[in-house]
Amino acid sequence: DGYVTRKPVNIHSRARVQRKNEAKRKGRHMGHGKRKGTADARLPSKVIWMRRQRVLRRLLKKYRESKKIDKHLYHVLYLKCKGGTFKNKRTLVEFIHKAKAEKAREKSLTDQAEARRLKARAARDRRAARVDEKRGVESEKVTTKDDDETPQVAEKKPKKKADKK
């Protein structure tokens, strides 16, 4: 009769898609048989690298601001991170602890060496003073004559060797 009948809109449900995506989040349907692209295409190594660099640099900044590391160690570690020395945050933290322990150990060793040097110097000075005092006492044995007021230094008599017969 020339009438145009309006058909109901077909329902295009996303329920099945949502259910499958939920399963994929759990790791289903992700095996070797379902993969098309290369590993680098699926998750580029550059993205992994950038994420790792950002994590490590963020940690370094946090440690520097909280004074756990000084600016010199920060710079050394920054360059090591850039060079790929640390594969994750844990290895970086371990390295920092090791470096700080080594620095503390070196400082204690230098302090001990300095203390030993000072102690040795003090002992040397005391001994020198004692020796000088002895020498001074020996050299200042002044004899004064009754009529002559000029002081004279007492001479040491050399020991005589006994003649053997």
Side-chain angles (χ1 to χ4, degrees):
D1 294 339
Y3 292 118
V4 177
T5 55
R6 177 181 231 173
K7 287 186 161 185
V9 177
N10 284 342
I11 294 173
H12 186 190
S13 173
R14 291 203 40 89
R16 283 183 300 277
V17 176
Q18 287 169 354
R19 203 166 59 233
K20 186 156 185 176
N21 286 342
E22 187 70 37
K24 277 189 169 185
R25 256 180 248 129
K26 293 179 180 174
R28 318 295 192 259
H29 318 290
M30 299 290 280
H32 289 295
K34 292 288 183 179
R35 298 178 195 174
K36 290 281 188 176
T38 62
D40 204 49
R42 291 163 65 83
L43 183 59
S45 55
K46 183 176 181 179
V47 170
I48 294 170
W49 173 259
M50 289 183 336
R51 282 181 189 167
R52 186 176 6 158
Q53 289 304 300
R54 286 171 183 166
V55 166
L56 297 176
R57 287 174 181 177
R58 209 171 18 246
L59 180 82
L60 283 177
K61 283 191 191 105
K62 191 175 87 173
Y63 271 32
R64 183 183 58 185
E65 285 163 7
S66 64
K67 300 281 193 274
K68 286 187 180 179
I69 56 174
D70 61 340
K71 64 180 182 179
H72 304 293
L73 184 58
Y74 169 85
H75 188 65
V76 169
L77 293 175
Y78 188 94
L79 294 178
K80 280 188 182 293
C81 288
K82 185 180 177 183
T85 305
F86 309 112
K87 64 178 182 177
N88 54 35
K89 213 159 87 168
R90 194 194 64 214
T91 55
L92 175 58
V93 171
E94 285 173 2
F95 189 91
I96 290 171
H97 289 317
K98 208 176 288 181
K100 285 174 73 175
E102 180 65 25
K103 190 175 179 185
R105 194 176 74 83
E106 283 179 12
K107 188 178 185 312
S108 71
L109 286 175
T110 54
D111 289 349
Q112 287 173 5
E114 183 63 29
R116 265 200 307 275
R117 275 196 291 277
L118 290 173
K119 188 177 173 186
R121 185 178 294 134
R124 213 169 32 245
D125 292 345
R126 281 196 308 272
R127 189 172 187 287
R130 220 172 32 245
V131 168
D132 287 347
E133 187 179 313
K134 267 188 178 178
R135 286 193 184 137
V137 167
E138 289 174 3
S139 64
E140 291 173 6
K141 284 186 180 174
V142 178
T143 57
T144 55
K145 293 184 179 176
D146 296 332
D147 59 325
D148 194 12
E149 293 294 321
T150 59
Q152 294 178 345
V153 177
E155 293 180 22
K156 278 189 172 180
K157 294 179 182 175
K159 291 182 181 176
K160 292 182 180 176
K161 291 184 181 176
D163 293 331
K164 292 183 183 177
K165 288 188 181 178

